[in-house]
Amino acid sequence: MVMIRVRVAVTKEQTYRLNTFVLVGVLLTFASAVHAERTNTPKERHFSTALPGEECRVPPPSRWTESEKSAWIQTPKWTDPEEWAWTQICEGQIANFNEHLNEELDPRNPDHDDEWADDRMLSSRFLETILLREPFRGAIPRRGVRIFGAYFPNPINLIDVSLDRPLEFDQSRFKSQVDMLRLRTPTFISLEDSKFDSELDMDSISVGGDLFMRAAEFDKVDLRGAKIGDQLSMNGSTFKDELIMSSASVGSSLFMRGAEFDEVNLSGAKIGDHLSMNRSVFKKVNLSGAKIGDHLGMNGSVFKDELIMDSASIGGTLFMREVTLDKPPNLIFLSIGSNLDARLATMSGLDLTGSRIEGELRLGSPDANIEWKSYTDENGDCQAPKLTLRNASIGALQDTTDTWPGNLEREFEGFTYDRLGGLGASEQEKPDERESSWFIEWLAKNKSYSPQPYRHLASVLRAAGHEDMADDILVASHDHELGESKPSQFKWWRLWMLKIFIGYGYGWRIFWALAWVAGLAVFGTVVLRVTKENKRRIMKLGFWYSLDMLLPIIHLRERHYTDVDLNTWAKYYFYFHKIMGYVLIFFVLAGLSGLTQE
């Protein structure tokens, strides 16, 4: 017991001493590190960000002291334009070569191509140095790097760079490829009024603020998978080659107004707010599967080749007023939260198969109708314009009679709508108040007969209080179906008898059966007169006998059934007479029950 206690006491003492030695060692190591850092690092006051109005605290390398040169990584010698540009940047100013040289050059003007000289030239090495290396990177003020009117002749590599200040290259000329692959910045980037003679690779770039590409000229631009936190503006720019933005994400709006594009790929892109493509010229646009949070504007734009928008989703309105499409656009399975306005557009066709439009499909209003035109297909053959609304669903159809010229092919199978007319419908020409004949002709131009478009139109007209027009439409549907059947088919005979006896059972037409009753009763009377059966009977036979024999559900006189036995061929006629009575009763009952209206 005594020995155990002594060992425990000794162990605690040793532990205490060991901890003391470790603590002293850590303190000595920390003091040594601090001393070394103070000895090897340039003075903090010399390498810090200049405040507004102050001189640059990190001068160009040519003005560094020997101790500063030995403390930092050796930097290649800078040219005079580079030293001037850095001084401007460091002091929070714009490095504007146009003002510095008192010469305004437009990078987009071919007449100025030969005037971009060494006095504006900045090397890619200089750019990478100030953006990536200390002490320059840390000395960039909060306004960021702002360079105007510069000339970059060599390729620029900013792949996987992380920036914490804005970057502006405005009114500048880039002769070689610029790589910004996976570049990240929480602020914004501006490339306004510049010209890129080669590819601009911004694949998977992440910009927390805005990306400005306005009034610039680009070759190929790759923005696939890009993430722009705020807006992306390309207004007034020219894209000579493909613009790839597949699966890109723009937090606010994407502006492409008044610009010229070759091919644009926005498939799978997500735009948080508006996408504005007004008054622009496109060769080919792919918006397949794109999601736009609010409106998509194309007013006044020209599409020289394909416009593909299948399975795209638009939260607001799709504006296509005054748009010109040389080929039929593909808008199948399109989802629109508000309206599609295509008035005053010039189109060679429109395919809205399976699309959903919550608001109005505006194809025409007084003095604002679509102009349909023929087009030449891939084989060089001339094709008539075609509007395809197969399985499309809309809230309201706004049009005029001029919206539907005779050469317009139509496909309405599965097309549904809640009402006719919209906010722009004229008081003088409300769609649901046109003549029945107009609607019948309208549906008859469908590519192939189907009862669904007729039945749906009838239901819409009936809901609007136009019962007679609805009946006319349904009768026309059965007439069309009868016309496509053959007399050798049972279907033809069924429809034919429904038509002649009760007008298919719609509205007042069911009373055609009364006309048949009257006609057959009179004809039976004539038969009795011709065969002189009246004179052979004690009781005179005539109209009432004929009527009594025709109607199986009533007995006018019992003697008609007990005392009369026709002996001539009239007997056989009245067999037919009675059968016709049963037939008429059958069709009347079927019409009243609605069985004939299926």
Side-chain angles (χ1 to χ4, degrees):
M1 296 293 293
V2 174
M3 292 179 64
I4 293 175
R5 289 176 180 174
V6 171
R7 287 181 179 181
V8 172
V10 171
T11 302
K12 289 182 178 179
E13 181 67 23
Q14 290 175 343
T15 301
Y16 175 78
R17 291 178 179 178
L18 179 61
N19 291 340
T20 301
F21 289 141
V22 171
L23 178 61
V24 171
V26 169
L27 292 174
L28 290 174
T29 302
F30 177 77
S32 176
V34 170
H35 177 72
E37 182 177 359
R38 289 179 177 177
T39 303
N40 295 327
T41 305
K43 296 181 180 180
E44 182 67 20
R45 64 178 179 84
H46 197 72
F47 293 100
S48 61
T49 303
L51 296 176
E54 293 184 341
E55 292 185 359
C56 177
R57 296 193 176 190
V58 181
S62 62
R63 298 207 296 261
W64 283 10
T65 64
E66 290 301 323
S67 62
E68 290 169 346
K69 291 180 180 179
S70 62
W72 299 95
I73 299 175
Q74 294 297 314
T75 302
K77 183 179 180 181
W78 288 354
T79 64
D80 290 342
E82 291 172 343
E83 293 203 350
W84 175 84
W86 167 248
T87 302
Q88 293 293 107
I89 294 169
C90 183
E91 294 179 355
Q93 305 297 321
I94 300 175
N96 191 333
F97 283 95
N98 290 327
E99 293 182 356
H100 178 60
L101 300 174
N102 197 27
E103 182 183 19
E104 192 80 21
L105 291 185
D106 182 359
R108 302 177 63 181
N109 188 345
D111 295 337
H112 295 173
D113 283 351
D114 297 332
E115 300 182 31
W116 297 88
D118 292 347
D119 54 359
R120 294 173 177 266
M121 187 172 69
L122 300 178
S123 67
S124 57
R125 187 71 176 268
F126 162 77
L127 194 59
E128 293 174 26
T129 298
I130 66 173
L131 291 176
L132 304 179
R133 288 188 177 180
E134 297 293 351
F136 307 103
R137 177 187 173 94
I140 297 175
R142 61 177 178 270
R143 297 295 298 276
V145 175
R146 295 182 291 171
I147 300 175
F148 290 8
Y151 176 48
F152 297 91
N154 303 318
I156 295 176
N157 186 345
L158 296 177
I159 298 175
D160 291 318
V161 168
S162 179
L163 305 176
D164 57 3
R165 296 288 191 272
L167 191 62
E168 297 182 56
F169 294 135
D170 295 349
Q171 303 171 25
S172 297
R173 182 75 180 271
F174 296 83
K175 288 291 291 183
S176 302
Q177 181 164 331
V178 177
D179 288 318
M180 295 185 179
L181 177 66
R182 295 186 297 275
L183 183 147
R184 301 173 301 281
T185 176
T187 59
F188 70 90
I189 295 177
S190 177
L191 306 173
E192 293 187 358
D193 298 296
S194 294
K195 181 177 181 180
F196 292 76
D197 291 332
S198 190
E199 180 178 357
L200 172 59
D201 188 352
M202 304 176 82
D203 186 350
S204 302
I205 192 172
S206 178
V207 181
D210 301 318
L211 175 57
F212 298 113
M213 303 173 71
R214 294 182 292 230
E217 184 175 313
F218 300 93
D219 190 62
K220 180 179 180 179
V221 177
D222 191 344
L223 274 163
R224 77 185 76 194
K227 295 181 179 179
I228 313 301
D230 206 338
Q231 65 171 286
L232 169 55
S233 179
M234 301 175 175
N235 291 344
S237 291
T238 300
F239 291 78
K240 301 290 187 178
D241 204 332
E242 187 176 11
L243 169 61
I244 307 173
M245 291 187 65
S246 54
S247 302
S249 174
V250 180
S252 183
S253 298
L254 171 56
F255 296 104
M256 307 172 79
R257 294 193 295 252
E260 295 184 18
F261 299 87
D262 188 61
E263 295 187 15
V264 179
N265 186 348
L266 278 160
S267 60
K270 296 181 180 179
I271 313 299
D273 204 344
H274 305 286
L275 171 54
S276 179
M277 309 169 76
N278 298 332
R279 309 294 173 186
S280 293
V281 178
F282 300 88
K283 180 182 178 182
K284 181 178 180 180
V285 176
N286 185 351
L287 279 161
S288 177
K291 299 184 184 302
I292 296 119
D294 207 330
H295 303 316
L296 168 54
M298 298 179 173
N299 291 344
S301 289
V302 176
F303 296 85
K304 297 182 177 180
D305 203 330
E306 294 181 325
L307 171 59
I308 304 172
M309 294 180 63
D310 62 288
S311 303
S313 174
I314 302 169
T317 294
L318 171 56
F319 294 99
M320 301 181 74
R321 289 176 65 98
E322 301 180 82
V323 71
T324 300
L325 293 136
D326 291 342
K327 290 187 176 181
N330 180 352
L331 276 63
I332 66 173
F333 302 110
L334 179 66
S335 175
I336 300 179
S338 188
N339 309 313
L340 194 165
D341 192 347
R343 291 173 293 175
L344 293 174
T346 301
M347 292 188 180
S348 52
L350 184 61
D351 191 347
L352 286 165
T353 299
S355 294
R356 298 291 181 268
I357 302 173
E358 298 296 329
E360 303 173 6
L361 174 58
R362 298 173 179 169
L363 299 178
S365 59
D367 301 322
N369 277 296
I370 286 183
E371 179 183 348
W372 300 102
K373 66 175 184 178
S374 301
Y375 69 100
T376 303
D377 64 13
E378 298 175 352
N379 298 322
D381 299 325
C382 184
Q383 300 291 340
K386 180 179 180 181
L387 174 59
T388 303
L389 294 167
R390 174 181 289 271
N391 297 325
S393 173
I394 66 175
L397 177 61
Q398 181 181 318
D399 67 341
T400 70
T401 54
D402 293 333
T403 304
W404 309 94
N407 67 329
L408 176 64
E409 296 182 2
R410 308 153 201 189
E411 190 167 354
F412 294 150
E413 173 66 25
F415 177 40
T416 60
Y417 40 94
D418 296 334
R419 61 193 182 280
L420 296 171
L423 293 177
S426 170
E427 292 295 329
Q428 289 75 30
E429 189 183 9
K430 292 184 178 179
D432 61 349
E433 294 183 359
R434 296 168 192 165
E435 296 293 331
S436 300
S437 58
W438 186 90
F439 283 110
I440 293 171
E441 183 180 357
W442 179 61
L443 293 174
K445 294 291 183 66
N446 194 18
K447 180 180 180 181
S448 59
Y449 169 75
S450 170
Q452 183 275 333
Y454 289 87
R455 292 174 181 173
H456 185 75
L457 174 59
S459 67
V460 172
L461 291 172
R462 204 179 301 279
H466 303 287
E467 299 285 345
D468 292 341
M469 291 180 64
D471 290 340
D472 292 343
I473 299 301
L474 293 173
V475 168
S477 175
H478 287 301
D479 283 344
H480 202 136
E481 189 176 5
L482 176 62
E484 292 194 345
S485 303
K486 297 180 179 179
S488 60
Q489 299 174 323
F490 171 77
K491 178 181 180 181
W492 185 92
W493 286 100
R494 179 179 64 85
L495 290 171
W496 180 76
M497 287 189 289
L498 284 172
K499 177 181 176 65
I500 65 173
F501 289 141
I502 57 172
Y504 306 111
Y506 292 109
W508 56 267
R509 294 172 182 82
I510 199 170
F511 296 110
W512 287 4
L514 295 179
W516 277 95
V517 168
L520 287 171
V522 170
F523 189 77
T525 303
V526 173
V527 169
L528 292 171
R529 299 287 185 183
V530 171
T531 58
K532 300 180 181 180
E533 291 288 346
N534 281 344
K535 295 181 179 180
R536 294 192 180 97
R537 303 297 169 192
I538 300 173
M539 180 185 65
K540 275 195 170 184
L541 301 179
F543 176 81
W544 296 111
Y545 175 82
S546 177
L547 182 63
D548 204 0
M549 293 299 102
L550 182 64
L551 301 178
I553 60 175
I554 62 173
H555 284 64
L556 296 179
R557 296 185 69 177
E558 187 64 26
R559 294 179 63 185
H560 289 164
Y561 300 91
T562 59
D563 298 342
V564 177
D565 184 15
L566 302 178
N567 295 319
T568 62
W569 61 267
K571 175 175 61 174
Y572 300 102
Y573 165 76
F574 275 97
Y575 290 158
F576 167 76
H577 199 73
K578 288 182 179 182
I579 293 173
M580 287 301 298
Y582 281 104
V583 170
L584 288 172
I585 290 298
F586 170 78
F587 279 111
V588 169
L589 292 177
L592 291 174
S593 64
L595 293 176
T596 62
Q597 301 176 17
E598 295 298 325

